[in-house]
Amino acid sequence: MAIQKEKTVTFKCEEDLIAAAEVYAANNEMDRSKVIRLALKRFLNVSPVEKKRSAKN
């Protein structure tokens, strides 16, 4: 399984959206970056589970 290199990205976002991401992160024992990555993957229909399955085939 290939490991993808991560890159830091900076973007502007409304404060209430960031606050909601921080609450979600705290409630789900993850950091804010992981919440944003998960949201992007879901929005773009890129499931980490699907990637793992296809990588094994």
Side-chain angles (χ1 to χ4, degrees):
M1 178 189 301
I3 298 175
Q4 292 184 336
K5 186 175 178 182
E6 292 185 349
K7 184 174 182 177
T8 300
V9 177
T10 304
F11 66 98
K12 294 182 182 183
C13 189
E14 296 85 356
E15 289 182 12
D16 59 339
L17 192 54
I18 295 298
E22 289 173 346
V23 168
Y24 184 92
N27 289 337
N28 292 281
E29 299 180 354
M30 57 180 72
D31 61 31
R32 183 175 63 192
S33 290
K34 187 169 183 178
V35 173
I36 294 168
R37 283 192 303 272
L38 178 61
L40 270 172
K41 287 175 182 178
R42 287 184 179 176
F43 181 80
L44 299 172
N45 295 316
V46 178
S47 170
V49 174
E50 290 177 20
K51 278 188 142 181
K52 287 181 183 176
R53 286 184 188 151
S54 64
K56 289 181 183 177
N57 291 334

